[in-house]
């Protein structure tokens, strides 16, 4: 009887889809083990285009997320580390945001695209609006991340605010994943508004990574970024 071949995951960057739909998958879950044994406050992944950075970020999200399906890691390298999995798998709220779609001809359009990316990330956790752990003031601050008229100040504080609200609700630190953080800068440089985009992105990342006490910082990866 001829063995049925697996499918090639062309254009698929969602880790769960690849695992559950029986696509070919080159096991890179050893990256999780390396990160947890050799952790840093912020981890930056730099690889050539099309080398699987976004898929790896998706893999990290499913591993750490409270909502992740643990079965997608069955039989993979990380599953051999039973103590590590028991301690970290499915234990953290995760904020995951991609900036790769911010490709605009001018700063105003780029900012609107960035604000939309923030709203998508914030919109995944609207249960915060009903949280007993958040004050009314907290909920108003979170609500500002869903506002279609978000201003630059709110945008720059957005990832820190979202992390803080998730920490309060879940009473645990947060893992932050930022995919393609450099794309807005590359597009801004190509289209002549780099001097406007640089301080905006510096402020967003600075607030999210340097002054964010809600990120997990002991024995785990509080934040990971791809370039």
């Amino acid at each position: 009887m001829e063995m049925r071949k697996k499918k090639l995951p062309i254009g698929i960057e969602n880790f769960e889809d690849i695992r559950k739909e029986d696509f070919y998958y080159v096991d890179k879950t050893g990256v999780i083990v390396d990160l947890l044994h050799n952790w840093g406050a912020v981890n930056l992944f730099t690889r050539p285009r099309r080398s699987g950075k976004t898929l790896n970020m998706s893999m990290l999200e499913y591993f750490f997320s409270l909502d992740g399906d643990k079965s997608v890691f069955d039989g993979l390298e990380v599953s051999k580390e039973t103590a590590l999995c028991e301690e970290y798998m499915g234990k953290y709220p995760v904020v995951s945001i991609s900036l790769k779609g911010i490709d605009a001809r001018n700063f105003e359009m780029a900012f609107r695209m960035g604000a939309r990316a923030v709203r998508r990330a914030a919109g995944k956790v609207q249960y915060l609006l009903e949280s007993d752990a958040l004050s009314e003031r907290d909920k108003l601050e979170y609500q500002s991340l869903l506002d279609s008229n978000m201003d630059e100040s709110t945008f720059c504080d957005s990832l820190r605010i979202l992390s803080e609200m998730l920490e309060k609700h879940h009473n645990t630190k947060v893992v932050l994943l930022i995919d393609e953080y450099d794309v807005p800068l590359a597009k801004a440089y190509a289209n002549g508004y780099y001097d406007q985009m640089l301080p905006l992105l510096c402020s967003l990342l600075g607030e999210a990574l340097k002054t964010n006490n809600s990120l997990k910082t002991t024995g785990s990866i509080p934040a990971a970024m791809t370039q």
Side-chain angles (χ1 to χ4, degrees), residues 1 10 12 20 70 72 92 94 102 112 123 148 151 183 186 189 195 197:
M1 182 177 179
I10 298 172
I12 299 176
K20 287 190 171 182
K70 297 180 180 181
V72 297
Y92 301 99
V94 176
I102 304 178
R112 289 198 297 272
S148 59
D151 59 25
V183 167
Y189 182 81
D195 289 344
M197 181 58 73

Side-chain angles (χ1 to χ4, degrees), residues 32-86:
I32 301 172
V33 180
D34 290 341
L35 284 171
L36 291 174
H37 286 320
N38 304 289
W39 64 278
V42 177
N43 299 272
L44 174 63
F45 298 95
T46 57
R47 296 290 186 276
R49 286 179 55 81
R50 315 313 306 166
S51 62
K53 296 188 298 297
T54 296
L55 177 58
N56 280 349
M57 297 295 270
S58 177
M59 173 189 72
L60 291 173
E61 180 178 3
Y62 279 104
F63 181 84
F64 288 107
S65 177
L66 294 166
D67 302 322
D69 182 351
K70 297 180 180 181
S71 69
V72 297
F73 292 94
D74 289 349
L76 298 179
E77 185 70 21
V78 72
S79 67
K80 299 175 184 178
E81 303 282 341
T82 53
L84 182 148
C85 288
E86 288 175 5

Side-chain angles (χ1 to χ4, degrees), residues 50-164:
R50 315 313 306 166
S51 62
K53 296 188 298 297
T54 296
L55 177 58
N56 280 349
M57 297 295 270
S58 177
M59 173 189 72
L60 291 173
E61 180 178 3
Y62 279 104
F63 181 84
F64 288 107
S65 177
L66 294 166
D67 302 322
D69 182 351
K70 297 180 180 181
S71 69
V72 297
F73 292 94
D74 289 349
L76 298 179
E77 185 70 21
V78 72
S79 67
K80 299 175 184 178
E81 303 282 341
T82 53
L84 182 148
C85 288
E86 288 175 5
E87 184 173 359
Y88 295 108
M89 184 185 287
K91 297 298 177 64
Y92 301 99
V94 176
V95 176
S96 180
I97 185 169
S98 174
L99 304 183
K100 66 181 177 181
I102 304 178
D103 181 0
R105 295 186 301 273
N106 56 63
F107 175 76
E108 290 73 20
M109 184 180 296
F111 173 72
R112 289 198 297 272
M113 290 177 172
R116 191 179 303 125
V118 166
R119 287 197 299 274
R120 282 197 297 269
K124 295 177 182 178
V125 291
Q126 292 190 51
Y127 57 81
L128 292 175
L129 292 171
E130 307 298 327
S131 174
D132 292 333
L134 270 61
S135 67
E136 290 305 312
R137 183 174 180 177
D138 290 333
K139 292 175 183 178
L140 286 174
E141 195 166 25
Y142 167 70
Q143 184 75 51
S144 70
L145 306 183
L146 305 175
D147 190 342
S148 59
N149 295 313
M150 183 187 302
D151 59 25
E152 290 186 21
S153 176
T154 302
F155 174 81
C156 292
D157 288 341
S158 60
L159 298 181
R160 178 184 55 79
I161 292 171
L162 189 54
S163 301
E164 289 177 355

